Amino acid sequence: MKNYQANFQMSICSNEDIPQLVALSSSVGWDYDEREIKTVMSVGTIYCYKVESGTIISSAAITPYEDKLASIGMVIVHEQYRGYGLGKTLTEACVQSVADDVTVMLIATEDGYPLYEKLGFQPVTSVHKFLCERNRLHLTPTPSYEESIVPLYDHDFQDVYELDKGAIGAGREAFLKARIHQATEAVVVRGVEGNILGYGLCVDGPVNRILGPIVAMNDQIAASLIQQLSLGYEGKLRIDVPDRQAEFMKYLEQAGFDKVSQPPVMILHSSELPRRNQTLFGIAAQIFG
């Protein structure tokens, strides 16, 4: 490791740092935009290192949830400043910002895996990243006559929160409210009796339309949500699917999605993720776990 440079200053990012964070993300081929970073800041904390000129050269973010769970992401070090331990120090700052009994999770890149392992993170599962050009998508109709997909309204929030809590194993009230506000489209699936059987959001980024979170009572409802959230979009679609949804992943591949990676989910302060009910079919984004 290179000698640490005293003129690297750690700080907590504010709104005025957003353009630099977007540029830092772009420098490593990631596609964070202003809206995504504002959402992160509204529910969590982004730590960064700056050089004397004020330029941001490294970042890491933590999003705390309820029920003793938090997620780390956006761990970036500018290529010119690698080897100083900046990513390690910022990740440690994220971990130290929550209590010792909080399970901290992250989705590791190939380059970041050795660092997280040294910090004590252990792999427990993985997510599967799928991409599809909209003009290649061939979804078969899936909703039954007993179900309807309708916009998510404010009065639906408590039901959506409970569905999400069961899927994640922790409450995410602040995050859900921010993500719904950010979403290009937010919908719920209602059963014949009016009960909510699933919900889905999509967020349009500079490169992809992100499909997620997708929470549903079964594969068919999840597929219906994917179909609805992809309507009218002509660009590239992305969904990151938890490891245990094998049948749903087969459906995605048949519909034209290509699996491009399978990064590990790693955790600290626990030997396993909170108990989940297997209704999570698409995560919000890797930064949010």
Side-chain angles (χ1 to χ4, degrees), residues 51-265:
V51 292
E52 287 182 318
S53 65
T55 300
I56 294 176
I57 58 173
S58 183
S59 69
I62 184 160
T63 305
Y65 300 131
E66 303 160 29
D67 308 300
K68 299 182 179 180
L69 179 67
S71 181
I72 288 177
M74 205 176 173
V75 181
I76 306 171
V77 181
H78 192 282
E79 184 177 8
Q80 183 179 344
Y81 295 95
R82 292 175 185 171
Y84 292 104
L86 304 183
K88 175 178 181 292
T89 308
L90 290 177
T91 303
E92 288 175 328
C94 289
V95 171
Q96 291 164 8
S97 73
V98 298
D100 291 343
D101 61 350
V102 172
T103 299
V104 182
M105 65 180 295
L106 57 82
I107 298 175
T109 62
E110 185 176 351
D111 289 341
Y113 187 96
L115 162 65
Y116 305 133
E117 194 171 41
K118 288 179 182 178
L119 291 175
F121 286 84
Q122 297 295 323
V124 290
T125 183
S126 61
V127 295
H128 303 249
K129 176 182 174 182
F130 287 87
L131 296 175
C132 180
E133 295 289 350
R134 181 62 182 84
N135 58 12
R136 291 184 55 232
L137 189 65
H138 47 275
L139 293 168
T140 54
T142 52
S144 74
Y145 68 91
E146 296 178 340
E147 300 160 5
S148 59
I149 300 178
V150 296
L152 191 165
Y153 293 109
D154 289 346
H155 63 259
D156 298 319
F157 181 80
Q158 189 58 38
D159 289 337
V160 166
Y161 167 81
E162 294 297 338
L163 282 174
D164 187 80
K165 184 175 181 179
I168 298 296
R172 304 194 295 176
E173 181 175 0
F175 164 72
L176 276 178
K177 287 180 177 178
R179 197 63 165 180
I180 290 168
H181 178 73
Q182 180 191 357
T184 306
E185 186 174 5
V187 297
V188 296
V189 178
R190 290 195 177 278
V192 66
E193 297 180 355
N195 54 318
I196 295 180
L197 304 175
Y199 86 92
L201 310 179
C202 65
V203 172
D204 288 351
V207 177
N208 306 307
R209 170 169 284 189
I210 308 298
L211 304 173
I214 303 293
V215 174
M217 301 307 294
N218 57 48
D219 291 19
Q220 182 183 29
I221 293 171
S224 299
L225 288 164
I226 295 300
Q227 185 177 33
Q228 175 65 35
L229 294 172
S230 63
L231 290 175
Y233 184 70
E234 299 302 326
K236 185 174 289 186
L237 302 166
R238 172 177 173 173
I239 183 170
D240 293 61
V241 183
D243 194 39
R244 295 188 180 183
Q245 302 294 0
E247 289 303 313
F248 182 64
M249 286 187 274
K250 289 181 183 177
Y251 166 81
L252 290 177
E253 290 176 332
Q254 292 168 357
F257 282 84
D258 294 316
K259 178 177 163 181
V260 296
S261 64
Q262 186 179 338
V265 178

Side-chain angles (χ1 to χ4, degrees), residues 23-79:
L24 178 66
S25 164
S26 180
S27 76
V28 296
W30 293 2
D31 58 352
Y32 286 96
D33 62 7
E34 179 180 352
R35 291 191 308 151
E36 186 80 343
I37 293 173
K38 281 185 174 180
T39 295
V40 176
M41 286 183 173
S42 72
V43 295
T45 303
I46 303 177
Y47 295 90
C48 71
Y49 269 109
K50 299 179 180 180
V51 292
E52 287 182 318
S53 65
T55 300
I56 294 176
I57 58 173
S58 183
S59 69
I62 184 160
T63 305
Y65 300 131
E66 303 160 29
D67 308 300
K68 299 182 179 180
L69 179 67
S71 181
I72 288 177
M74 205 176 173
V75 181
I76 306 171
V77 181
H78 192 282
E79 184 177 8

